[in-house]
Amino acid sequence: MTLDEALAQLTVHSDPATIEQKTAYHKQERPVLGVPNPVLNDLTKDWRQTLTLEQRISLAADLWQSDIFEARICAAKVLTQARIKEDAGVWELLCSWVQDFDSWAIADHACTALQKRLIAAPDRLDTIDGWTTSDHMWRRRAALVATLPWAKMANPKADDIHQRERILDWAATYTTDRNWFIQKAVGWWLRDLSKHDAPRVTAFLEQHGSTMKAFARKEAQRYLHKQG
């Protein structure tokens, strides 16, 4: 499938009202096609099922380079899959996109694809470690969003707990960062972890909560209060 063919499938579902809505909500300066999210899901599901991995990588790269809002989301979605044999090409392409992150919606979809590749090969966290000190805010944020699976594990193994502690160390260094998106990511990570290990989140907040913004602490504590 070529880029033009993929864009043709997208634009046939374009809705002027959705263009206006998405442009305003996501604060987009890039082109917006106005395609509803369920359509994006259906199209990319079909592409995943009918295209080879090599074709998907090629299509995803072209969709991303188009710099169209929905196309970038589709680029991430077409590569979001738990099990991929010989996934080095997917991993490398996803990592190359991080420097372009400038929108939470696009970044979060790409990070969902990254999550699958990290769970498949946890040693890749060594690469993510380098993102935590980047001058690029979106790269720093991606380090937490891409590692959310470790916050969501109900029955983590010893290695998972080790990795989780490593990520919490990153989060601790973020608590003094005043950027809203960084604070939100810390609160998000802790909120998800609190569902499975409330005492660990409580301990984190006791040590680092005073340096977090109030809204981030509130986010982290959302389910702690219910459990208490």
Side-chain angles (χ1 to χ4, degrees):
M1 176 179 289
T2 67
L3 173 62
D4 287 343
E5 290 170 339
L7 292 179
Q9 290 189 30
L10 287 168
T11 54
V12 74
H13 299 284
S14 179
D15 174 34
T18 305
I19 292 176
E20 183 177 354
Q21 179 187 33
K22 285 192 173 185
T23 300
Y25 181 68
H26 295 287
K27 300 179 174 61
Q28 289 301 295
E29 296 182 0
R30 59 175 46 86
V32 176
L33 299 178
V35 181
N37 291 331
V39 174
L40 302 181
N41 293 337
D42 289 344
L43 285 176
T44 52
K45 180 180 179 180
D46 180 64
W47 296 344
R48 285 196 304 271
Q49 293 176 342
T50 57
L51 300 177
T52 67
L53 179 59
E54 291 74 16
Q55 289 171 333
R56 283 192 286 145
I57 292 173
S58 178
L59 177 61
D62 290 342
L63 286 166
W64 189 269
Q65 288 302 318
S66 75
D67 199 27
I68 296 170
F69 179 72
E70 289 90 345
R72 284 199 163 184
I73 288 177
C74 285
K77 284 181 173 292
V78 81
L79 296 181
T80 301
Q81 182 178 335
R83 295 183 180 181
I84 302 177
K85 292 183 179 180
E86 299 180 1
D87 66 349
V90 176
W91 168 249
E92 291 172 5
L93 181 59
L94 291 170
C95 287
S96 74
W97 292 346
V98 178
Q99 64 185 355
D100 299 329
F101 287 178
D102 58 6
S103 161
W104 66 264
I106 293 173
D108 286 1
H109 280 91
C111 282
T112 298
L114 281 163
Q115 290 171 13
K116 306 297 185 184
R117 308 281 48 83
L118 286 169
I119 290 297
D123 60 303
R124 288 169 172 160
L125 286 172
D126 291 343
T127 297
I128 306 299
D129 196 345
W131 297 2
T132 64
T133 56
S134 172
D135 292 335
H136 185 213
M137 181 277 290
W138 291 100
R139 186 181 295 271
R140 297 198 307 277
R141 177 182 179 273
L144 289 189
V145 181
T147 56
L148 276 170
W150 278 275
K152 298 178 179 181
M153 292 178 178
N155 299 293
K157 298 178 181 178
D159 286 347
D160 297 322
I161 293 174
H162 174 74
Q163 301 294 10
R164 189 175 72 186
E165 289 301 316
R166 182 184 191 183
I167 298 163
L168 285 169
D169 285 344
W170 301 343
T173 69
Y174 284 11
T175 58
T176 57
D177 191 317
R178 300 295 89 188
N179 183 278
W180 188 92
F181 283 104
I182 295 296
Q183 290 281 321
K184 179 69 174 179
V186 174
W188 184 3
W189 217 96
L190 295 172
R191 179 199 69 195
D192 283 357
L193 178 59
S194 72
K195 299 176 185 178
H196 308 289
D197 194 343
R200 183 65 185 90
V201 173
T202 298
F204 184 99
L205 292 172
E206 287 176 351
Q207 185 174 2
H208 304 288
S210 62
T211 59
M212 295 169 62
K213 286 193 172 184
F215 83 87
R217 288 197 305 274
K218 183 177 180 180
E219 182 75 7
Q221 296 170 333
R222 181 186 300 184
Y223 298 114
L224 291 179
H225 297 315
K226 295 180 180 180
Q227 293 174 31

